[in-house]
Amino acid sequence: MIQLFKDVNIDWLGKRRIFITASVVLMLAGLISAIARQAVPGGTDAFNLGVDFKGGSVITVKFKQRPSAEVIRAALDRAGVHEAVIQPVTDKQDEVLIKLPQMGSAGGSEATPEHAQVDIGRVRVAEALKTLGPEAGPEIVGTEAVGPIAGRALRNQAVAVTLLALVGILVYIAMRFEWTYGAAAVIAVFHDVLVTLGFFSIFQWEISLTVIAALLTLVGFSVNDTIVVFDRIRENLRLHRRESLYKITNDSINQTLSRTVITSGLVFLSVLALVLFGGEVLRGFSLALFIGIIVGTYSSIAVASPIMVWWQQRLEAHRSSAPESDARPQTAGAARHSRSIGRS
Amino acid sequence: MRKDLTQRVVIIAIITVIAIYVVFGPHHRPTWRDFTLAGIRQNLAENIHLGLDLRGGSHLVMQVKTEEYLKRLTENTAIGVQNAAKDAGIGVRQVRPEVNGDDYRVVLELEDASKASDARSQIERKVDLNGWTASVSGNTVTWTLTAAAKRTLSDQAVEQALRIIESRINLLGVTEPTLQRHGAPESHQILLQMPGVQDPERIKAILVGESRLELMHVISPPNPSPVQTYATKEEAIQALGGTVPSNRQVLPYTEREEPTATGEKRAQRWVIVETPAIIDGSELRNAEAVSRTGRSDDYQVAFTLKPSGAEKFARWTGANINQYLAVVLNGEVKSIAYIKSQISDAGEISGRFTKQSAEDLALTLRSGALPAPLVYLEERTVGPSLGADSIRAGITASVIGLLLVVLVMIVYYRGSGVNAVVALLLNIVLTMAALILFGATLTLPGIAGIILGIGMAVDSNVLIFERIREELRTGKTVASAIEQGFARAFVTIIDTHVTTIVSSLFLFVFGTGPIRGFAVTLILGLAANLFTAVYVSRTIFIWLLNRSGGRLQTLSI
């Protein structure tokens, strides 16, 4: 039988300083990118939000013979559309995305209702494309237009719903294990989302609604990974009552290591296929998952477990400091701990 | 053990056959064609409801401007209060509607402060002021719309708008539309999905057409002197003495202008009309496009009134020969004519319409006036080719991913890898079958949910197999290693699945659109997984054990 790991004995928790440093550096990089981009006037925004969240229009045009971006821009200029971004579709030679920012104020005042703004842009683009002549053969194959109010609502809803889902996760894990476990898992998930968003800020990949679906997927994977380790810790705590939580956690990570690597490796393969063959529409989605799978696997071992052990030890030290101040907190803690979570 | 195995196999066989039929079989009376490759393909396409992002079509989110509805209601109530006060002989200094942000008030100022509470009860007996709370201070009585009434009235406005939109899309002949409230109830949003519609411009214009038709009396010297118009709004207000009383309105009047033209506008004039209108759109019986000259750009919209409206109209026109009458559409005067003789039930909106614009206007008039204006918040149109491209790319990527997974599983776990692959394929079929049975639609984020579900299905098998290997290493027999492996891994599988299902339920209940689509497929996939990865996979192992008479020495894992 092929076996990836035989009797591994890695001191994962001993490397926690390196892990935490790496995580903090990654998160800071994203944060600095976001803040710097936001702060520099006239530059790009913290995140490259798609029309879903920012408002505006995207028109997908398919050509028989695609003219150059300059020719298209000149035609749009003549039709009075000046702020268009023209973006060729990378994996399809004959398609172009024309992006129009939201015109007018965000409030949608009486004189210029939002729907009219979006429509005028689209109608003008259609007219401008006609001037390119029949050999170009332009055809509008898709339109997306989102008003600024709807964009804001979609963004707020996505964030609120995700937070609610995380609370659900926290409560369930707290019920099945202990609340420190739940908190550690949720902190790890936060870490994953922040690091992934950091990449999106640094590389200015566009964030659309499908990216939100990808973030939700990575939350699922990350929690899944963390629970597998925690479950093993719970089981080992019951089997080896005399061991310290520190050692048990290390052992549990090592015991589940081949499972972690195989599962993550398989999912990673599927996501790689998505990145390579999934096409433009799925691009943001695939990239978010690509980063997310790596970060999510890493965080179960390098973030969730150390935080849980640290927190649990602090709690135990705190509890045992009053009656017997010189007791070894780890061993005593683990023993008490094992009784308190023997509920599965 | 043998009896147990038979029972398991029967259960699995029944579920598998049903699921395969649900996914690939016809949902009508089967014919021979349904069992050919082409027939199965067609059935598959018919059974799975694809979302608009995959299938192509238009997705519109609109919002009902309910504040406009409440504003009009306040104005009409003010007129009602004024008339009631006049009828009761109460000395009124002023009645005015007040709209301040989210506050809607009718303010009545009396000449005599001592009669305030008396006036209040007299007026409340005549005017329906349910939902308004009154307060009296000095010589003023103020009616304020309560929060509960605002909510109910806004809700009614949205429901009414929904009905009118429905009748308009039915008149337009849109096939298979989805029309429903969208988002939180207080967001007053409506979602309309129209599969296959690629150019929604005309439909959009028709849907937002307010079609508020009013016939109003123009304040002007009667015929034969020409109708009194003003060059600016200010001039008209000046003629009224500086302020517009609540029974007068100043409206724009553009003579013979095509409503769809955006370019050159003719000189706009202003006229003063009397409110309330003599007749409004609710009294319409029918409306249609007619051409007097036969020219394609010279259409009018002829309308007829319901009996009750006709009676009212006849009475008014009979008593006001030679007065001027305005046909007002959405707060704009479309035409003005003097009354030659008593008219009862027919009228006309002239304005040199094109055939199309006249027909569209007639359609919106027939379907009734919207209670409040609509604005579009979101519009997504996906052409069928774009949707097909997404499906093709998604399927290519999924199949390649799946093949890689299958390959690795079989290489790594050998015989047991085949077991996992069987469970995995069954999982996909069951998920699709559940999706079809629940009538859910498959969208791009839904595919993401399926991918996560498949990932977790593979993970369940890996968990179980790794556990069995561990047990084997400790020197257990194959039978007890399998037993222990499943038992131990089961706890973990339950925990991971329930956690994800709990969080997905939140997404399903509180999310909309794409987030919801993701949650649905994920929940269904995980539920299927508990069956396939645990029950089916276990059964295959039991079968292996049984075949060797329970003395299996080595396990291919």
Side-chain angles (χ1 to χ4, degrees):
Chain A
M1 102 176 102
I2 312 171
Q3 214 173 330
L4 282 180
F5 303 102
K6 227 177 240 163
D7 304 320
V8 275
N9 203 354
I10 302 171
D11 181 10
W12 297 98
L13 290 179
K15 300 183 178 58
R16 60 182 179 274
R17 277 176 221 287
I18 305 171
F19 290 146
I20 301 291
T21 312
S23 290
V24 169
V25 166
L26 278 176
M27 283 191 286
L28 274 182
L31 194 68
I32 289 170
S33 159
I35 290 175
R37 285 178 194 281
Q38 194 78 48
V40 175
T44 44
D45 282 338
F47 293 104
N48 177 8
L49 295 179
V51 283
D52 289 322
F53 299 119
K54 204 169 57 183
S57 314
V58 177
I59 299 165
T60 311
V61 189
K62 188 175 189 143
F63 290 98
K64 279 201 205 102
Q65 185 109 50
R66 187 171 89 188
S68 72
E70 288 71 44
V71 174
I72 300 175
R73 194 186 313 279
L76 289 174
D77 264 337
R78 278 198 300 278
V81 182
H82 302 297
E83 283 179 83
V85 174
I86 294 162
Q87 183 188 323
V89 179
T90 44
D91 61 342
K92 279 183 223 132
Q93 288 305 309
D94 54 349
E95 283 182 17
V96 164
L97 299 179
I98 297 174
K99 300 186 177 177
L100 307 174
Q102 195 72 45
M103 284 172 261
S105 64
S109 61
E110 290 288 318
T112 51
E114 298 157 42
H115 67 270
Q117 294 166 13
V118 170
D119 288 353
I120 288 168
R122 191 185 127 134
V123 169
R124 282 201 192 143
V125 168
E127 278 165 10
L129 290 174
K130 267 184 217 147
T131 65
L132 290 171
E135 62 275 8
E139 181 199 353
I140 294 184
V141 290
T143 320
E144 277 183 78
V146 179
I149 298 173
R152 213 177 310 130
L154 281 171
R155 187 169 59 202
N156 292 346
Q157 197 213 23
V159 172
V161 163
T162 312
L163 288 179
L164 258 181
L166 284 179
V167 171
I169 291 173
L170 179 70
V171 170
Y172 180 76
I173 299 181
M175 257 168 52
R176 289 284 294 172
F177 299 86
E178 253 181 64
W179 68 267
T180 44
Y181 286 65
V186 169
I187 289 172
V189 167
F190 257 105
H191 159 269
D192 302 341
V193 173
L194 289 182
V195 170
T196 310
L197 283 177
F199 274 90
F200 272 78
S201 173
I202 292 169
F203 294 106
Q204 288 288 296
W205 294 328
E206 188 178 289
I207 299 183
S208 62
L209 269 177
T210 52
V211 172
I212 299 299
L215 289 179
L216 295 173
T217 311
L218 98 85
V219 166
F221 268 120
S222 177
V223 170
N224 182 41
D225 251 7
T226 306
I227 289 180
V228 169
V229 175
F230 283 0
D231 226 69
R232 199 54 179 251
I233 294 174
R234 179 174 61 186
E235 188 187 323
N236 284 336
L237 276 173
R238 233 174 307 147
L239 291 173
H240 315 282
R241 301 194 169 219
R242 308 213 61 84
E243 298 278 9
S244 70
L245 182 60
Y246 184 95
K247 180 168 187 327
I248 282 182
T249 304
N250 263 337
D251 288 349
S252 303
I253 295 175
N254 285 327
Q255 283 162 357
T256 51
L257 194 60
S258 44
R259 172 263 150 203
T260 305
V261 171
I262 293 166
T263 298
S264 302
L266 286 175
V267 174
F268 188 77
L269 279 182
S270 322
V271 173
L272 193 65
L274 269 184
V275 173
L276 295 178
F277 309 104
E280 191 71 24
V281 182
L282 287 175
R283 177 79 64 234
F285 177 81
S286 321
L287 283 173
L289 268 192
F290 190 79
I291 308 287
I293 296 305
I294 302 172
V295 180
T297 310
Y298 159 85
S299 75
S300 314
I301 295 173
V303 179
S305 300
I307 288 179
M308 184 277 287
V309 172
W310 170 78
W311 209 323
Q312 204 67 35
Q313 283 177 347
R314 256 184 68 112
L315 281 181
E316 300 301 341
H318 188 69
R319 267 181 232 163
S320 54
S321 63
E324 28 179 349
S325 52
D326 60 348
R328 283 174 57 216
Q330 284 178 11
T331 313
R336 189 169 303 124
H337 184 74
S338 67
R339 278 190 297 280
S340 67
I341 63 163
R343 260 187 254 153
S344 71
Chain B
M1 204 66 169
R2 176 154 293 275
K3 203 176 134 219
D4 184 39
L5 179 64
T6 321
Q7 196 189 337
R8 278 170 171 263
V9 169
V10 170
I11 290 175
I12 293 169
I14 291 174
I15 291 179
T16 308
V17 168
I18 291 176
I20 289 179
Y21 190 84
V22 167
V23 176
F24 299 102
H27 291 189
H28 49 85
R29 187 193 292 268
T31 59
W32 280 113
R33 199 183 165 275
D34 289 319
F35 299 97
T36 61
L37 198 62
I40 287 174
R41 260 193 188 188
Q42 194 192 338
N43 289 334
L44 189 64
E46 276 170 19
N47 293 344
I48 297 175
H49 298 284
L50 294 179
L52 290 186
D53 52 351
L54 299 175
R55 181 182 180 186
S58 273
H59 166 114
L60 298 172
V61 177
M62 43 209 144
Q63 187 179 38
V64 183
K65 289 279 173 203
T66 52
E67 60 274 16
E68 192 64 29
Y69 174 74
L70 295 177
K71 192 175 143 214
R72 276 184 214 149
L73 180 89
T74 310
E75 284 164 3
N76 289 338
T77 309
I79 294 168
V81 167
Q82 176 145 42
N83 292 342
K86 202 161 70 183
D87 289 352
I90 301 166
V92 173
R93 191 176 291 162
Q94 194 191 27
V95 179
R96 60 173 191 275
E98 265 186 15
V99 178
N100 196 350
D102 202 27
D103 267 350
Y104 300 88
R105 291 202 196 95
V106 174
V107 181
L108 167 70
E109 273 178 38
L110 297 162
E111 281 167 354
D112 187 351
S114 63
K115 295 218 177 102
S117 49
D118 184 42
R120 177 195 155 184
S121 52
Q122 267 189 306
I123 287 169
E124 283 184 355
R125 232 172 289 142
K126 291 195 170 173
V127 184
D128 180 19
L129 285 161
N130 265 332
W132 300 76
T133 51
S135 66
V136 181
S137 89
N139 68 333
T140 55
V141 185
T142 309
W143 284 274
T144 311
L145 200 56
T146 63
K150 270 188 286 193
R151 216 166 27 245
T152 330
L153 288 166
S154 301
D155 209 56
Q156 282 169 1
V158 177
E159 288 298 327
Q160 199 185 336
L162 203 64
R163 275 197 304 278
I164 287 162
I165 293 169
E166 189 177 8
S167 78
R168 287 183 188 178
I169 50 181
N170 286 342
L171 286 170
L172 278 165
V174 174
T175 51
E176 287 184 71
T178 312
L179 182 68
Q180 63 198 45
R181 297 282 294 262
H182 184 66
E186 62 276 11
S187 69
H188 307 133
Q189 291 176 10
I190 293 175
L191 168 69
L192 170 63
Q193 295 192 315
M194 299 175 289
V197 171
Q198 274 199 68
D199 187 8
E201 292 307 325
R202 181 182 165 218
I203 295 175
K204 273 170 63 189
I206 288 179
L207 292 188
V208 291
E210 260 192 274
S211 304
R212 204 152 39 86
L213 181 72
E214 289 162 307
L215 302 180
M216 297 177 118
H217 177 209
V218 182
I219 307 298
S220 161
N223 188 54
S225 36
V227 65
Q228 175 72 58
T229 63
Y230 304 89
T232 62
K233 192 173 184 179
E234 288 66 38
E235 198 181 301
I237 294 173
Q238 211 55 52
L240 283 167
T243 52
V244 185
S246 60
N247 62 345
R248 293 283 184 275
Q249 248 182 312
V250 177
L251 295 179
Y253 170 42
T254 317
E255 211 177 349
R256 290 177 81 76
E257 188 221 2
E258 213 174 295
T260 51
T262 44
E264 23 103 41
K265 277 212 163 183
R266 280 152 206 262
Q268 199 178 43
R269 307 282 300 176
W270 296 83
V271 293
I272 300 170
V273 296
E274 186 184 333
T275 59
I278 308 154
I279 297 286
D280 67 27
S282 62
E283 307 278 12
L284 272 189
R285 192 178 61 193
N286 195 12
E288 56 189 328
V290 291
S291 171
R292 298 262 176 267
T293 58
R295 291 212 335 258
S296 66
D297 63 342
D298 196 11
Y299 271 74
Q300 290 85 39
V301 175
F303 60 85
T304 51
L305 298 173
K306 289 177 189 163
S308 60
E311 197 185 306
K312 224 195 288 179
F313 197 44
R315 212 181 314 128
W316 190 85
T317 48
N320 289 281
I321 303 284
N322 278 336
Q323 288 288 335
Y324 283 97
L325 178 77
V327 177
V328 182
L329 191 66
N330 303 331
E332 235 179 274
V333 176
K334 284 288 159 198
S335 54
I336 296 179
Y338 67 89
I339 311 290
K340 269 185 234 155
S341 59
Q342 193 178 41
I343 318 171
S344 61
D345 71 340
E348 198 177 86
I349 307 171
S350 51
R352 211 205 269 161
F353 295 100
T354 62
K355 184 165 189 284
Q356 175 94 76
S357 62
E359 277 171 359
D360 288 353
L361 178 58
L363 185 152
T364 58
L365 285 173
R366 280 204 300 278
S367 63
L370 286 172
L374 284 180
V375 288
Y376 288 110
L377 299 183
E378 238 182 282
E379 179 200 336
R380 290 165 208 274
T381 305
V382 175
S385 65
L386 194 65
D389 283 350
S390 300
I391 298 184
R392 206 173 308 122
I395 289 180
T396 311
S398 308
V399 168
I400 292 175
L402 201 61
L403 284 178
L404 285 172
V405 169
V406 166
L407 192 73
V408 172
M409 287 298 272
I410 293 178
V411 168
Y412 194 74
Y413 292 115
R414 294 181 295 170
S416 302
V418 178
N419 178 334
V421 170
V422 171
L424 190 62
L425 294 179
L426 187 56
N427 177 321
I428 297 172
V429 174
L430 285 186
T431 309
M432 297 311 292
L435 203 61
I436 293 167
L437 288 178
F438 283 100
T441 45
L442 185 63
T443 57
L444 272 182
I447 293 179
I450 292 181
I451 291 176
L452 177 55
I454 291 174
M456 287 186 66
V458 175
D459 185 44
S460 306
N461 280 112
V462 172
L463 271 171
I464 295 167
F465 295 170
E466 286 299 314
R467 211 53 203 248
I468 293 177
R469 281 179 164 196
E470 272 182 53
E471 300 298 327
L472 284 173
R473 270 199 296 271
T474 63
K476 291 209 173 78
T477 63
V478 170
S480 86
I482 291 173
E483 177 89 38
Q484 286 290 311
F486 270 95
R488 292 265 169 82
F490 187 68
V491 180
T492 312
I493 292 173
I494 285 289
D495 274 336
T496 55
H497 280 60
V498 174
T499 314
T500 312
I501 289 178
V502 165
S503 58
S504 307
L505 278 178
F506 277 99
L507 301 180
F508 179 73
V509 174
F510 299 108
T512 48
I515 292 177
R516 218 180 157 139
F518 171 80
V520 172
T521 54
L522 182 55
I523 293 172
L524 295 177
L526 293 183
N529 193 34
L530 285 177
F531 175 72
T532 55
V534 181
Y535 193 80
V536 175
S537 193
R538 181 92 190 258
T539 306
I540 298 176
F541 278 121
I542 294 178
W543 169 74
L544 274 175
L545 285 174
N546 260 19
R547 212 176 45 161
S548 68
R551 282 181 300 278
L552 198 63
Q553 292 303 314
T554 54
L555 183 66
S556 172
I557 194 164

